[in-house]
Amino acid sequence: MGFKEKIASGERVVTVEISPPKGADIENMMDLADSVRGKVDAINITDNQRAVMRMSSLSACSLLKAYGHEPVMQVCCRDRNRIALQSDLLGAWAMGIRNVCVMTGDHPALGDHPNAKGVFDLDSVQLLEFMRELGRGTDSMGNPLQGATGFNAGAVFNPYADPMELQVMKLKKKIEAGAGYIQTQPVFSMEMVETIMKLESETGVRFLVGITPLRSVGMAKFMSEKLLNKPLPESIIKRLEVSPDSVEEGMDIAAEFVTRIRDSVKGIHIMPIGGEAGLGSFLERIIY
Amino acid sequence: MIFTKPKPMKEILDSLAPYEKPLILGCGTCSADCHTGGEKEVADMKKRLKSEGMGVVEGVVVESLCNLEKVRRALKDKKEQVKEADVVLVMSCGIAVQVVAAHTDKPVMPGLDTVFAGVLERIGHYREMCSICGQCVVGEYGGICPVSRCPKELLNGPCGGTIDGKCEVDSEIECAWVEIYERMKSLGNEGSLARIAKPKDHLRSTHPRRVNTGKGILKGEW
């Protein structure tokens, strides 16, 4: 059963996030994908995440597809206008890519090409609406298409951004515009899982809770200060601090967390954030 | 107003290097309010260029350099000075530089960079308020423009980068969407933000834009 079918039928799903290479050599990316083969339902391929220029998500997804993987093509609104976005989506469908996850995208100022022009012709909600039109066999202007798409469309949710009610308002717009599943930023506390599960029952779409194995106290601090802007549970920091091998400890902490949320959560999204090499090993130790 | 800031002096001197006798034009409207091209700034520039050994013809502040009638009149009044000068340094916005360039056969150089359309909050503090997009949506957002005040011009809500109500691009500035939301709540109308806003029509902001009413003034239908 594929990723889309599992979501539709209420089965558990596991996705992982892999970055395309910064360069033209795909060997590492393909090895990484092979290390999770058979252990996950789909592989998210990021779209120049953090505004750092890499190989395109579209081409990386197409390569993964050709090697028998199930990619989720991430598409952000930063680098392409509505013509290029629709054009790439048509090409993606033709190449067998079936899952798309849309997001606004980090501002160029945060990345490695800070002088680049940010496009932002559409936002994530509008892009989802455009995708729905492509699925109906017309472009966003109502012009007929030679062949419609039928993407399994998803979106993202950051449960840490303030104020929460404003994030929820936008989340609901994404769902109204056609998002059928939601992948979240890394979550480390049961309280946050409960908040997300409340949103799941309220909206009726599947949430894939973000899981990131921490590798050091430094990484925990970075995540807490730069990405989440919330303190991580003290118990996690303590365990990383006292362990002789914080990488192993971090994987254990995350694996235990997955076990704890297993009963309430029907989807997880693993983001290694620099720890890609340990992905295969982490997947072996989680019970989900 | 149109906010301008002074170009680095080296850039100005480099641009004037091939010339000897500049005429300096300031503007009595926005750049005077910005303290970048009013009487004092033009006088200071005159002094500086003289100290660099240039034979400055004159420094003149025109009432408004974006009003063609006034520019024509000023250039006519200063016909002799224009004739004597071998370059015109315009200490005003990009509009003024082009208007002057179109009405003199002398080379024209900008002394300022044109930065944005915004508000003078207090001396030294200016803030962008309008992107001049040609399709005002401010009424739907509680009087706060997401097009000019959100770096991603987001019409349907904030991105995921808001931290403590601040913008991911610059932690010194408020997230426009947090401001919009607070304002709409105080108006008791935050529910209307749940409506999905359609993408903007960029055909309406394709450069160069023109308004031509024929002979009369531009009149509304009220």
Side-chain angles (χ1 to χ4, degrees):
Chain A
M1 201 185 288
F3 177 55
K4 184 180 181 177
E5 292 72 29
K6 277 193 174 180
I7 288 178
S9 68
E11 282 203 40
R12 282 176 192 285
V13 285
V14 179
T15 55
V16 296
E17 192 165 290
I18 290 180
S19 302
K22 174 89 184 178
D25 182 351
I26 60 166
E27 201 183 331
N28 277 345
M29 177 183 75
M30 298 312 277
D31 285 351
L32 205 52
D34 281 338
S35 77
V36 302
R37 192 188 288 274
K39 298 172 188 162
V40 298
D41 297 294
I43 301 173
N44 272 55
I45 296 294
T46 51
D47 180 7
N48 297 293
Q49 80 276 20
R50 298 303 287 172
V52 172
M53 190 282 294
R54 295 170 171 276
M55 181 184 287
S56 73
S57 179
L58 172 60
S59 34
C61 285
S62 155
L63 286 160
L64 286 190
K65 189 74 197 176
Y67 283 85
H69 295 287
E70 181 67 4
V72 177
M73 183 171 78
Q74 292 192 181
V75 178
C76 81
C77 299
R78 177 191 57 238
D79 307 316
R80 285 165 288 177
N81 71 6
R82 63 192 82 177
I83 297 174
L85 286 166
Q86 292 180 95
S87 168
D88 279 353
L89 285 166
L90 294 179
W93 182 262
M95 289 192 283
I97 296 160
R98 295 294 175 260
N99 314 294
V100 171
C101 181
V102 310
M103 59 210 68
T104 308
D106 296 304
H107 195 276
L110 274 58
D112 69 349
H113 286 61
N115 309 107
K117 179 175 168 59
V119 178
F120 303 110
D121 185 24
L122 303 180
D123 62 31
S124 51
V125 176
Q126 294 158 347
L127 177 55
L128 282 160
E129 287 201 316
F130 276 39
M131 278 172 64
R132 192 163 55 194
E133 292 307 307
L134 299 182
R136 288 171 180 159
T138 61
D139 67 16
S140 66
M141 297 301 285
N143 302 305
L145 299 174
Q146 204 171 9
T149 64
F151 286 113
N152 178 31
V156 295
F157 176 61
N158 180 3
Y160 300 95
D162 293 321
M164 178 69 128
E165 62 242 63
L166 198 46
Q167 292 294 327
V168 170
M169 178 203 80
K170 184 152 187 195
L171 172 74
K172 288 180 177 168
K173 287 195 198 190
K174 291 177 184 178
I175 293 166
E176 186 187 338
Y181 60 95
I182 304 292
Q183 295 175 312
T184 82
Q185 290 282 12
V187 171
F188 297 93
S189 72
M190 288 307 290
E191 293 93 306
M192 195 56 91
V193 171
E194 281 158 20
T195 305
I196 292 168
M197 287 305 103
K198 260 186 218 149
L199 284 168
E200 182 172 85
S201 55
E202 192 185 331
T203 58
V205 304
R206 181 75 68 88
F207 279 68
L208 279 71
V209 172
I211 300 291
T212 294
L214 297 164
R215 294 188 303 284
S216 64
V217 176
M219 180 187 179
K221 281 196 175 136
F222 175 81
M223 295 282 298
S224 159
E225 285 162 20
K226 302 281 176 203
L227 285 178
L228 314 176
N229 195 42
K230 292 278 185 305
L232 296 182
E234 197 53 44
S235 56
I236 294 182
I237 308 287
K238 189 134 273 171
R239 280 181 66 176
L240 289 171
E241 248 164 17
V242 300
S243 169
D245 187 339
S246 62
V247 174
E248 284 293 312
E249 188 68 21
M251 282 202 227
D252 284 343
I253 294 168
E256 287 164 26
F257 188 64
V258 170
T259 307
R260 279 175 72 197
I261 65 175
R262 193 179 188 281
D263 288 340
S264 50
V265 173
K266 298 294 275 299
I268 57 171
H269 175 56
I270 300 162
M271 282 169 278
I273 316 189
E276 283 79 2
L279 206 45
S281 158
F282 177 63
L283 283 165
E284 271 163 24
R285 73 181 78 185
I286 63 170
I287 303 156
Y288 188 71
Chain B
M1 70 167 75
I2 305 290
F3 176 66
T4 45
K5 64 177 190 186
K7 277 186 174 293
M9 200 58 209
K10 185 181 180 310
E11 195 181 327
I12 295 174
L13 291 174
D14 285 351
S15 73
L16 297 179
Y19 311 103
E20 287 165 3
K21 291 185 287 181
L23 168 68
I24 307 167
L25 290 184
C27 175
T29 314
C30 307
S31 51
D33 282 347
C34 290
H35 300 276
T36 52
E39 294 288 352
K40 182 177 184 304
E41 296 74 38
V42 167
D44 288 348
M45 179 63 79
K46 191 173 160 184
K47 219 161 103 185
R48 176 67 196 268
L49 292 183
K50 276 186 172 169
S51 77
E52 296 285 338
M54 300 197 83
V56 182
V57 177
E58 197 178 342
V60 184
V61 175
V62 178
E63 184 191 341
S64 168
L65 281 175
C66 58
N67 182 321
L68 198 50
E69 254 327 291
K70 289 173 181 166
V71 175
R72 277 196 189 124
R73 207 177 307 143
L75 291 175
K76 204 171 155 192
D77 288 350
K78 300 285 175 186
K79 204 162 60 184
E80 290 309 312
Q81 288 88 335
V82 174
K83 204 171 152 189
E84 196 192 335
D86 59 359
V87 64
V88 184
L89 178 67
V90 179
M91 293 174 68
S92 183
C93 67
I95 304 166
V97 180
Q98 295 182 67
V99 171
V100 174
H103 291 86
T104 168
D105 52 4
K106 299 293 164 71
V108 174
M109 296 296 163
L112 308 177
D113 282 320
T114 308
V115 190
F116 54 71
V119 61
L120 164 58
E121 292 177 320
R122 59 184 198 276
I123 295 293
H125 294 261
Y126 305 85
R127 191 140 75 114
E128 183 175 13
M129 287 281 173
C130 180
S131 299
I132 316 186
C133 72
Q135 39 192 320
C136 196
V137 293
V138 172
E140 293 161 44
Y141 300 98
I144 297 165
C145 177
V147 181
S148 53
R149 289 165 70 173
C150 166
K152 301 179 187 175
E153 305 183 11
L154 297 177
L155 298 177
N156 277 302
C159 67
T162 319
I163 298 168
D164 282 342
K166 304 287 184 188
C167 177
E168 74 171 18
V169 175
D170 182 349
S171 59
E172 300 276 296
I173 60 172
E174 306 292 324
C175 168
W177 265 97
V178 173
E179 292 188 309
I180 289 167
Y181 189 60
E182 292 304 323
R183 171 77 176 155
M184 290 297 266
K185 269 207 296 201
S186 76
L187 295 170
N189 196 18
E190 73 275 21
S192 73
L193 294 174
R195 182 191 57 84
I196 293 180
K198 299 294 169 194
K200 296 211 85 170
D201 173 5
H202 291 291
L203 187 58
R204 289 164 69 177
S205 53
T206 301
H207 302 299
R209 284 172 267 175
R210 264 185 103 159
V211 174
N212 203 336
T213 64
K215 283 193 170 174
I217 57 163
L218 193 57
K219 202 172 175 335
E221 287 167 9
W222 49 82

